[in-house]
Each structure stands twice: as structure tokens, then as C-alpha cells.
Amino acid sequence: MKRTNGAMRTQVGIVGAGPAGLLLSHLLALRGIDSVVVENRSRAYCEARQRAGVLEDGTVRLLRESGLAGRLDREGLEHGGIYLQFDRERHHIDFRALTGGRTVTVYAQTEIVKDLIAQRLVDGGVVHFEVSDTVVDQLTSDRPMLRYTDADGKKQEITCDVIAGCDGFHGICRPAIPAELRTVREREYPYSWLGILADVPPSTDELIYAHHRRGFALHSLRSLTVSRLYLQVDPDESIDNWPEQRIWDELARRFDLPGSGWELKRGPVIYKGITPMRSFVSAPMRYGRLFLAGDAAHIVPPTGAKGLNLAMADVDVLAPALEALLKGDEGLADSYSAACLGRVWRATHFSWWMTTMLHRTPGADEMETELQLSQLRYVVSSRAAATSLAENYTGYPPRLPDSFRYPDSL
Ligand code: RFL
Ligand code: PHB
């Protein structure tokens, strides 16, 4: 960022210090491009926000290639599959065997955000926390403006070449695009997830996705000593109705495997919260000199573990596109939205499919339950069906060196 007579100037103004905004700022810095990140929360809040935990192999590769994987490589837990549980049986889906060795890595979003903030600060990057009243303006000119009130209450204005809207689903950037130029596709689901973080070693070696007549449950983890578990609850459920004992009892019921000797270990709950479930895609992801990335443009229900991976895949495409744009070549910037939306729609379908296959729809009849069970039996008995789940879960299209491209016709 440069300051001339009090006026501030940067090449890329970035709204939001989530994974998308921070990684974009880093990828731009690697290309010698100057950026400023503005974030309305505190650094401590951003670093503690409990969210995702599963990284596709392509996301890990991106972080490694950009020099951000030191701690991830030491502390991340590589997983070669998941369990699908239904009808009181647990079945392993072996990603390595089905996809030619591909895996996912459990490494919490909180840790990625900590690593990204630390790296930006070491590299002299500019991240302004606790701003308010963020406004983006003059988006169709080649000098878009970023305005905000800083943490000390002073009004600031930055002249940019480009603005990146990385401000999540509730941000201000997407609504800055005229509504008549946006196509929105949206679905709300009639259930939420109650998630806990518990100070207890995981009771499983791989994540368990459980279909149950009382509702879906997921056993995930954060480390060898901390577990992350989720329960399907009603959409309007209040967390106050769920004391620890009730949460553990309900989890134990939904993961129960009679006669197997398997038992759910219980421990102190260190965090609990309820998250609604939604699919949402707003297109295009560009308006003039404003580019949207991550949750600002699209949301998936967490059942497919895709949201964070999509956010990072977007900025992997955006960084070289902005580099070219700033040198006067608009080609990649023009194809940015279409390039991202191919992956976004694949993940949107996969997340919808996992969600509707595994959750109990309130009021659903036996017909729906039997259809779900039939689909689940098919996935665990057909190599073709299991491969489809495995290649989507590990990330499709795969981000492998010089690998896959969507045909130009898409
Ligand atoms: P974020 O993380 O929401 O960051 C946006 C940032 O913008 C800030 N902001 C503003 N700043 C300045 N001015 C304004 N006017 C602003 N308005 C907002 C916000 O404070 C915030 O810091 O979006 P980003 O970077 O696009 O990242 C997306 C991911 O956070 C999200 O997709 C994932 O967490 C989704 N997700 C999962 N994704 C996965 O890939 N794998 C998973 O296993 C996974 N599990 C999950 C999840 C999300 C969950 N919740 C709570 C929604 C599990 C859960 C329970
Ligand atoms: C998580 O660990 O938070 C997690 C794992 C898998 C999902 C969603 C969330 O599908």
C-alpha cells in the first residue's frame, strides 16, 4: 500500500480475511502484486471461528506449492477414506484404492487462518482488522474505491486497480453487483447441524457419516486428542435445549453398532454451535473490476466438506488472472467466472447429493427412507458408485500437475 498526501493506493483491495482473502493476498504477493485486506472482525475472532476441517489433496498441494504448508505437513492428518454407516452397519470407502492414491487431510480452518495471517505479517502484508462500514464503489471504472472506517474510528479510502470480494455469504461485495445482472440459484434445507468440539480422542480412525432414522450424525476430528462431531437437528433448534449429556446420548444412539463392541468416547465439550444448511450460487463472479471468491459467491451444505476447498480453488484461479489483468491482458479475467463455476456446480451437486442421501427430511415417508438406503447400499457395493463418491470427495476436477481441464464448450 502506498500513501501519497494522505490518499491510499493499492493494486488489489481485498474485503475479508477468511481463507479466500488471506490466501489471495499471499498468492498475489508471490507475484509481486500489492494488496490490502480489510476485515470487520478482530484477528482473535478470525483465528478462533470454528468451521471446516477437511482439505482435498489439491488444496494441500496449493498450500504446499505456495510455501504455506510447514505446520500443515507436520500436524495435518492424512485420511485415505471415510465410513458410511446405515442400517446398523459401517462400510469403509477406500479413496486411495478407488482414485489411484488420492486422499484428504484433516487440518482445521482455524489453523489455516492462523498460518495465513502469520505469513502475511512476516512478509510485510497489510491486513486491517476491526474495520466497519466497508463500501466498494466505482466498480466499472479502472480505479475502483474501497472505503471503510478503521479500528480507531477514522474514515479511510483506498484507490485500487481491482477489488476482490472475499467477504463471505453475508458480506457487502455481492450485493454491490446490480441485482438484474446476477443469477441466483438457492436451496435451503429443512435441517441444521449442531456441531461440537470435544476434548476427547476420536473414537474412529476415519470420519463416520451416519444415516439414522433419528437423523444424520458425523464423527470428525481435529487431532489425535480433539474430536469434532455433528448432529442433524431441526432448523429452528436452540442450542440451549442441548446440554452436554443430551448431545452425547444422541450421538451415541446414532452411531450405535450393536454387537460390534464399538463405543463412542465422551469428553468435555469445548465449543458448541448450530449451523443452517444452504446451497447458493450467484453468477457471474465478476462485475467490472470486482471479483467475488469463496462464500461471497457460493455456499454448499457442509456434508461434502467442500466450502473451504472451493474458496481456495477460486483464488488459485483468480491470482494469475489478476496478474495478467494488471499487465493489460484481460483474457483470464474474462474467463475467471466460468472457470470457477464448473468446479462450483460439481461441488454443489455433490454436496446436495451427500446431504439428501444422509439426512432425514422432516415429514418424509418410508418411500424416501427406502430410496436413501438403496442409494447407500449401491454406493458401498458398486465400485463405480464408490469411485464417484471418492473422486468427488477428494476433489473434482482433481488439481493434479497439468491434469484436467473442462472442455472449452462448458
Ligand atoms: P469466510 O471464511 O466467511 O470469510 C469471510 C470474511 O469476510 C469478513 N467480512 C467482512 N470484512 C470486511 N467488511 C465486511 N463488510 C465484511 N463482511 C464479512 C468476515 O468476517 C470473514 O472473516 O469466507 P471464505 O474466505 O470464502 O471461506 C469459506 C469457508 O469459510 C467456508 O466455505 C467453510 O468453512 C465451509 N465449511 C467446510 N468447508 C470445507 O471445505 N470442508 C469442511 O470440512 C467444512 N466444514 C464448513 C464446515 C462450514 C461450517 N459452518 C460453520 C458454516 C463445517 C461448518 C460447521
Ligand atoms: C469437520 O471436520 O468440521 C467436517 C468434516 C467433514 C464434513 C464437514 C465438516 O463433511
Side-chain angles (χ1 to χ4, degrees):
M1 180 174 65
K2 296 196 185 72
R3 193 182 275 276
T4 325
N5 300 330
M8 291 195 287
R9 179 82 182 87
T10 192
Q11 289 175 290
V12 182
I14 300 177
V15 186
L22 291 165
L23 179 61
L24 178 64
S25 178
H26 176 79
L27 295 177
L28 292 172
L30 291 179
R31 292 167 165 80
I33 298 167
D34 182 55
S35 68
V36 173
V37 181
V38 299
E39 163 61 51
N40 58 6
R41 302 288 192 162
S42 68
R43 177 177 178 181
Y45 183 93
C46 292
E47 292 183 341
R49 193 165 30 200
Q50 292 303 325
R51 287 197 172 168
V54 175
L55 304 181
E56 296 170 0
D57 54 4
T59 306
V60 172
R61 193 169 297 115
L62 169 61
L63 292 170
R64 211 172 270 151
E65 281 167 11
S66 43
L68 290 163
R71 203 156 65 91
L72 164 63
D73 279 334
R74 287 193 303 277
E75 298 176 19
L77 300 170
E78 192 175 271
H79 282 244
I82 57 168
Y83 292 108
L84 284 180
Q85 179 171 333
F86 56 94
D87 254 357
R88 300 184 169 221
E89 283 183 11
R90 197 171 285 169
H91 305 260
H92 191 238
I93 305 287
D94 186 340
F95 296 162
R96 284 196 186 91
L98 292 163
T99 63
R102 300 186 58 202
T103 57
V104 292
T105 297
V106 171
Y107 188 68
Q109 182 166 330
T110 47
E111 305 316 295
I112 292 188
V113 168
K114 282 181 206 161
D115 295 347
L116 283 165
I117 292 175
Q119 190 67 48
R120 284 316 292 129
L121 299 184
V122 164
D123 292 343
V126 182
V127 187
H128 295 301
F129 290 99
E130 295 179 75
V131 310
S132 51
D133 310 322
T134 320
V135 174
V136 293
D137 200 7
Q138 290 162 244
L139 300 172
T140 51
S141 78
D142 59 6
R143 288 288 177 273
M145 303 295 294
L146 176 55
R147 300 196 182 87
Y148 60 95
T149 304
D150 70 19
D152 299 326
K154 270 183 67 185
K155 293 209 177 306
Q156 302 288 0
E157 187 174 273
I158 310 180
T159 307
C160 312
D161 294 317
V162 167
I163 292 179
C166 303
D167 50 347
F169 184 65
H170 299 288
I172 50 96
C173 288
R174 188 181 63 252
I177 304 176
E180 65 276 14
L181 298 182
R182 286 193 284 131
T183 303
V184 171
R185 302 284 179 246
E186 185 168 19
R187 176 153 305 178
E188 281 186 30
Y189 298 86
Y191 27 77
S192 292
W193 275 16
L194 187 162
I196 62 165
L197 203 58
D199 212 352
V200 61
S203 309
T204 179
D205 57 337
E206 305 271 37
L207 274 66
I208 308 170
Y209 287 80
H211 175 279
H212 193 281
R213 282 171 192 271
R214 296 176 66 89
F216 169 74
L218 170 61
H219 191 327
S220 182
L221 57 143
R222 285 292 173 268
S223 68
L224 297 176
T225 56
V226 176
S227 297
R228 178 87 162 122
L229 298 111
Y230 298 96
L231 277 175
Q232 175 187 347
V233 295
D234 288 340
D236 51 0
E237 188 59 276
S238 161
I239 195 74
D240 301 335
N241 295 334
W242 289 85
E244 275 190 36
Q245 176 79 30
R246 181 177 177 202
I247 296 173
W248 285 117
D249 289 347
E250 190 60 30
L251 285 166
R253 243 186 235 134
R254 296 190 195 179
F255 290 120
D256 188 27
L257 276 185
S260 69
W262 183 86
E263 229 179 287
L264 181 66
K265 294 189 209 99
R266 302 180 183 212
V269 171
I270 45 187
Y271 164 87
K272 60 179 179 175
I274 292 188
T275 314
M277 310 267 281
R278 175 187 276 123
S279 298
F280 176 94
V281 181
S282 175
M285 291 167 60
R286 176 191 185 180
Y287 171 62
R289 288 286 179 109
L290 171 68
F291 293 80
L292 301 180
D295 280 14
H298 42 75
I299 296 278
V300 287
T303 327
K306 288 285 156 240
L308 170 62
N309 292 292
L310 285 179
M312 296 201 150
D314 286 351
V315 299
D316 186 26
V317 179
L318 186 54
L322 294 185
E323 181 182 22
L325 176 75
L326 294 171
K327 288 181 183 150
D329 176 356
E330 296 244 357
L332 289 176
D334 288 344
S335 57
Y336 166 69
S337 183
C340 292
L341 288 168
R343 174 183 293 278
V344 166
W345 272 111
R346 177 85 304 277
T348 302
H349 176 271
F350 175 66
S351 305
W352 164 84
W353 177 76
M354 286 283 280
T355 301
T356 52
M357 175 171 71
L358 287 162
H359 289 70
R360 188 185 57 81
T361 308
D365 57 10
E366 283 303 311
M367 177 78 185
E368 180 166 328
T369 308
E370 291 300 341
L371 290 172
Q372 289 179 322
L373 290 172
S374 171
Q375 179 68 39
L376 284 160
R377 279 185 214 111
Y378 181 49
V379 170
V380 302
S381 61
S382 151
R383 190 174 177 93
T387 303
S388 172
L389 188 153
E391 78 172 350
N392 278 281
Y393 197 99
T394 51
Y396 191 85
R399 186 187 185 278
L400 299 172
D402 297 326
S403 67
F404 189 99
R405 268 189 74 220
Y406 272 107
D408 291 337
S409 57
L410 269 186

